[in-house]
Amino acid sequence: MATFLISEIWSKRPFRHGVVTCAQEILLSTSQADAVPPSGMSPTDDRAPVYIPTQDPADHQLAHRLAETAGALLLALRSEPGHTNPSAEGDRRSDEFLLARLAADRPGDAVLSEESADDRSRLDARRVWIIDPLDGSREFGEAGRTDWAVHVALWIEGSLAAGAVALPAAGQTFSTWQTAPPCPDPEQLTLLASRSRPPALVGDLAERLSARIQPMGSAGAKAMAVLSGTGSAYVHAGGQYEWDSAAPVAVALAHGLRVRRLDGSAPRYNQPDPSLPDLAICRPSAAEELWDALDALTSHAGR
């Protein structure tokens, strides 16, 4: 039944866009579309932009479609009775589906997946797909929760190039395929933080900025909540990996959000060690205030 459902979705289902309702029109973010490495910079240089969109629309469309269809597979699984560990089964099925589709549609590309062994040949590859088949496994296993996601990102020669974050239970897929400006700012400065392990830093930031804290599950759900106007910023410290943030970062940058690591450096992907333990994503209107506060708190902690 699941195989029939997914084949039907893959061949016939129209794309959904997570932010259409927040914009007058769909447009490509010119600031990102025009981003190219400065003269004399190699494509793998640490100074290269975090996100340079691929000029092939098919890559953006594929990322969107993969995330959305894997999300439909997970929704179907969630409705099946009798699973003692639906999260583990969801991880497995989604990973198998994504790997199979990438092998068929992009056979020459490498893949880095949370749920599969790390093939180190990716380090010599020009194109690498970075995927999290089910981000927010805990929330997926809890009936009624919508804050879990599927992440699909494409990295090309030093920079993220395409990405999609599907929030299947919310009926939304955000991607770099067609982008829109962020939705209006929330009425109060709101920080999205991990539901299971909120870092102490977020509490310090909230106190300094007189902000409220909104706990949430998946990293992708939190990043897209910033894009959709539910939150002002998503701040994380204490441990993550490339698959947790690659797709959210690509989508955030394509839609005009701001991204950095806590120390002010840029996140880098397809590294030998995929650990990428901290991240901050925020709305443009909150960037200056938030970055100043982060700099003050992190410099104080480093003394």
Side-chain angles (χ1 to χ4, degrees):
M1 179 177 177
T3 302
F4 173 77
L5 171 67
I6 295 307
S7 64
E8 287 290 296
I9 291 170
W10 186 254
S11 61
K12 299 179 181 178
R13 191 176 190 179
F15 295 141
R16 293 193 303 264
H17 305 285
V19 295
V20 172
T21 56
C22 299
Q24 295 294 321
E25 60 182 7
I26 302 297
L27 70 158
L28 182 66
S29 171
T30 52
S31 62
Q32 295 300 327
D34 295 338
V36 294
S39 177
M41 179 180 292
S42 74
T44 56
D45 195 296
D46 282 345
R47 296 168 294 160
V50 176
Y51 172 66
I52 303 177
T54 172
Q55 297 304 300
D56 185 353
D59 283 332
H60 297 283
Q61 294 170 8
L62 180 61
H64 187 113
R65 200 173 188 184
L66 286 170
E68 185 170 277
T69 311
L73 180 155
L74 290 167
L75 282 176
L77 167 65
R78 213 182 189 197
S79 67
E80 293 175 5
H83 291 290
T84 57
N85 190 343
S87 297
E89 182 65 11
D91 278 326
R92 184 188 66 80
R93 287 195 198 180
S94 183
D95 189 53
E96 288 179 355
F97 165 75
L98 291 170
L99 293 178
R101 287 309 324 173
L102 286 169
D105 295 336
R106 298 292 187 274
D109 293 358
V111 181
L112 173 63
S113 170
E114 179 182 15
E115 301 304 324
S116 297
D118 185 0
D119 182 348
R120 306 290 283 184
S121 66
R122 66 179 172 83
L123 298 174
D124 297 317
R126 176 177 173 269
R127 293 165 51 98
V128 181
W129 293 86
I130 303 173
I131 62 174
D132 190 341
L134 173 54
D135 187 57
S137 299
R138 173 181 174 181
E139 287 71 28
F140 177 78
E142 298 179 19
R145 294 202 69 94
T146 62
D147 50 342
W148 51 276
V150 177
H151 299 175
V152 177
L154 173 63
W155 174 97
I156 300 178
E157 294 184 325
S159 300
L160 296 173
V165 175
L167 304 178
Q172 295 176 302
T173 301
F174 300 82
S175 75
T176 60
W177 175 40
Q178 289 181 319
T179 63
C183 298
D185 292 332
E187 292 184 3
Q188 180 184 358
L189 192 66
T190 302
L191 304 179
L192 284 302
S194 172
R195 175 181 171 229
S196 58
R197 52 184 191 282
L201 175 65
V202 174
D204 296 337
L205 275 173
E207 182 177 356
R208 179 178 286 261
L209 299 172
S210 299
R212 75 181 187 95
I213 299 175
Q214 176 65 52
M216 195 174 287
S218 158
K222 290 190 282 286
M224 297 308 99
V226 177
L227 180 56
S228 64
T230 301
S232 309
Y234 163 42
V235 179
H236 182 80
Q240 276 187 350
Y241 292 87
E242 291 185 16
W243 46 76
D244 292 304
S245 65
V249 164
V251 174
L253 289 173
H255 288 257
L257 299 185
R258 305 291 186 262
V259 176
R260 59 173 269 187
R261 294 193 61 183
L262 298 188
D263 64 2
S265 64
R268 294 296 171 195
Y269 295 90
N270 195 35
Q271 299 298 300
D273 180 358
S275 175
L276 212 171
D278 58 81
L279 186 71
I281 298 175
C282 80
R283 302 178 68 82
S285 58
E288 183 176 2
E289 184 179 19
L290 181 67
W291 291 171
D292 286 347
L294 271 176
D295 290 341
L297 288 170
T298 54
S299 63
H300 178 76
R303 291 175 185 170

